[in-house]
Amino acid sequence: MTPIGFAGLGAMGAGIAGRLHDAGYEVVGWNRTKEKAEPLIAAGMGWAETPRELAESVDVVFTMLTNTAAIDAVAEGPDGVLAGLREGAIWADISTIAPDASVALAERVRDTGAWFLDCPVSGSPATLAAGQMSVMVGGDRAAFERIEEVLHAIGPKVTYIGPNGQAILTKVAINLALVVSVTAFAEGVALVEKAGVDRAAAVDAVLKSVIASPVLGYRAPLLVEDTAVFADVELQQKDLVLAQELARRLGVAVPTCAATSEMLNAARSSPLADRDFLVSVHDAYRRLGGMQ
């Protein structure tokens, strides 16, 4: 099988890299802090000292990084991915970054003789572990077809959207709806808690109702037993900011996005701001409602 490079081994990146390794692919990794990669290295993953060294050693490079600035830092400079890409190689970026920045990077990658695909994923570490991660792809169709089998090793639901930038645009829309819906759930639970309804009973009822969804399936239980952080409030608000910036540029109204972003501003001051964003937002609603 084709060796695969993977840069960005945080919680989600490490999970995806591990899944590719378990599927039989030879994986070479890089991360800003090597300590996070130690479990994967112990399991047999290769290691590159720089992003350039990573790109020079493979024909397919995946990146899973926090934001646009992090992607730029890995791409640029004498030790960056752009300096090491082989002609004809494919760079598949799984990160959620600004769509215009993704398209601009695709153009720079083409100038090197390689191909760039925006390949954002939808799901969480729990979704990934359950084998239900979905992948969207934007970019050259032939390049997509070359790595389609690899993408199916990440998750069974792979959708080709269109040219560069269209997959990341779709991911922005999905995350907008996700954050708004989860925030509305927190709002509803806090409302009936104030009226005296037991929180656990309300959560159980929601998960048996018509508004139950995959995202509520793994997140709603956090209001009863706070055991995981799928994305904190800062990371999740980044997605709303991307949506608002896109809306301003296109002249499109996104009022529920704006209102939800304001609620996430309130959640940033929660003493639980380092927990999953649902927990932080719910705590903010409780504080605003005088429940603590």
Side-chain angles (χ1 to χ4, degrees), residues 2-46:
T2 302
I4 295 170
F6 206 103
L9 299 170
M12 184 71 85
I16 294 173
R19 191 170 182 85
L20 292 171
H21 182 267
D22 291 344
Y25 289 98
E26 178 186 344
V27 180
V28 181
W30 175 86
N31 195 64
R32 188 173 57 84
T33 54
K34 190 175 181 179
E35 289 77 12
K36 290 185 178 181
E38 293 295 351
L40 288 168
I41 294 172
M45 183 187 75

Side-chain angles (χ1 to χ4, degrees), residues 98-162:
D100 56 346
S102 182
V103 172
L105 184 55
E107 294 173 356
R108 295 191 63 192
V109 170
R110 277 196 296 272
D111 289 341
T112 72
W115 301 98
F116 183 88
L117 299 174
D118 43 298
C119 296
V121 295
S122 182
S124 69
T127 312
L128 179 66
Q132 292 300 313
M133 185 68 75
S134 64
V135 186
M136 296 153 275
V137 184
D140 180 77
R141 182 82 192 223
F144 157 67
E145 291 173 354
R146 281 175 52 196
I147 67 164
E148 185 174 4
E149 182 179 344
V150 180
L151 297 175
H152 276 284
I154 296 173
K157 296 172 281 188
V158 178
T159 306
Y160 177 75
I161 305 294

